[in-house]
Amino acid sequence: EDKVVQSPLSLVVHEGDTVTLNCSYEVTNFRSLLWYKQEKKAPTFLFMLTSSGIEKKSGRLSSILDKKELSSILNITATQTGDSAIYLCARSSNYKLTFGKGTLLTVNP
Amino acid sequence: GAVVSQHPSRVICKSGTSVKIECRSLDFQATTMFWYRQFPKKSLMLMATSNEGSKATYEQGVEKDKFLINHASLTLSTLTVTSAHPEDSSFYICSASSGGRTDTQYFGPGTRLTVL
């Protein structure tokens, strides 16, 4: 059973749309939930959410951790073509990250 | 800040040879470095965790004699793929953490290994 499940696996939108990406995780030894953006190379860090910091925002991106539902969402408003990427969610346990399969977001002009 | 580099970015080698990949934290001291492997259209799979000055901890199913990891300093870790075979062809990514209470890992740009 996967410890981190992301949905949808892929998503195609038009510029200006708002998207919501989902991530659910297993609670065992949970420390934090991280979001990364991966374009052609390695992932770049977006947010880290913990029990003491369940909501983060940076520009058009924001993320919320729902401890009760064991899930997190990543919102992107007013999407741009440059937002096209794979968005990875990772659960931290014992300082190790377990990644979901990612959501491939394509933003068309 | 928090920049991690990897070298080389791309390598092609013959079957049976060994390949060394370097991972450096450029502007911070990385007490812990991680090595991942990513197959096309798949997520990152953790291979091993290395702490400076100690032996690496390998994930289940990863052969420690095949994937040699050395974390000789707080800014450098190396992964050597020994006697590489075509099935070792993959995208190898390292990440670094400054340790302490943070879980945030910063990733290098990755190395594309192709074994002929």
Side-chain angles (χ1 to χ4, degrees):
Chain A
E1 186 180 335
D2 289 346
K3 293 181 178 178
V4 180
V5 178
Q6 291 187 246
S7 64
L9 290 180
S10 66
L11 187 57
V12 181
V13 300
H14 291 290
E15 266 192 314
D17 289 350
T18 293
V19 297
T20 299
L21 310 182
N22 301 285
C23 176
S24 62
Y25 60 90
E26 190 180 281
V27 73
T28 309
N29 294 322
F30 172 81
R31 280 179 52 89
S32 59
L33 193 290
L34 294 88
W35 284 97
Y36 287 85
K37 177 183 181 182
Q38 185 175 24
E39 295 173 90
K40 291 190 177 178
K41 293 194 174 179
T44 53
F45 173 73
L46 294 176
F47 299 117
M48 183 175 75
L49 302 157
T50 66
S51 298
S52 58
I54 61 172
E55 189 166 352
K56 295 283 175 74
K57 183 175 170 61
S58 176
R60 296 179 295 103
L61 276 67
S62 62
S63 184
I64 298 173
L65 180 71
D66 187 332
K67 293 182 289 181
K68 195 177 285 187
E69 296 296 325
L70 305 181
S71 65
S72 176
I73 60 170
L74 176 69
N75 275 325
I76 308 175
T77 60
T79 52
Q80 302 171 357
T81 55
D83 295 327
S84 297
I86 296 173
Y87 289 84
L88 295 167
C89 168
R91 166 187 169 274
S92 173
S93 169
N94 299 324
Y95 300 99
K96 294 195 296 187
L97 297 182
T98 302
F99 284 85
K101 290 186 167 66
T103 294
L104 173 61
L105 174 64
T106 303
V107 181
N108 289 324
Chain B
V3 179
V4 177
S5 70
Q6 251 181 270
H7 178 79
S9 58
R10 187 182 296 267
V11 58
I12 301 172
C13 69
K14 292 183 179 178
S15 190
T17 59
S18 293
V19 174
K20 180 186 279 189
I21 302 170
E22 291 188 350
C23 177
R24 292 180 186 272
S25 57
L26 298 184
D27 53 0
F28 67 103
Q29 293 189 324
T31 53
T32 307
M33 285 186 168
F34 303 84
W35 287 95
Y36 293 84
R37 183 172 182 176
Q38 187 176 34
F39 290 103
K41 300 192 178 180
K42 298 285 185 182
S43 193
L44 283 78
M45 296 296 295
L46 179 65
M47 298 174 66
T49 303
S50 77
N51 290 293
E52 185 262 340
S54 61
K55 288 184 179 179
T57 303
Y58 290 81
E59 295 300 299
Q60 195 171 5
V62 178
E63 298 175 59
K64 62 180 180 181
D65 294 330
K66 181 166 186 61
F67 298 100
L68 301 178
I69 292 171
N70 184 285
H71 192 161
S73 76
L74 285 172
T75 59
L76 173 65
S77 176
T78 60
L79 167 70
T80 301
V81 183
T82 62
S83 187
H85 288 97
E87 58 265 29
D88 299 323
S89 299
S90 190
F91 192 51
Y92 292 88
I93 310 175
C94 73
S95 71
S97 169
S98 57
R101 301 177 68 82
T102 180
D103 292 330
T104 305
Q105 295 179 21
Y106 298 95
F107 285 83
T111 296
R112 173 76 58 194
L113 171 63
T114 303
V115 185
L116 303 176

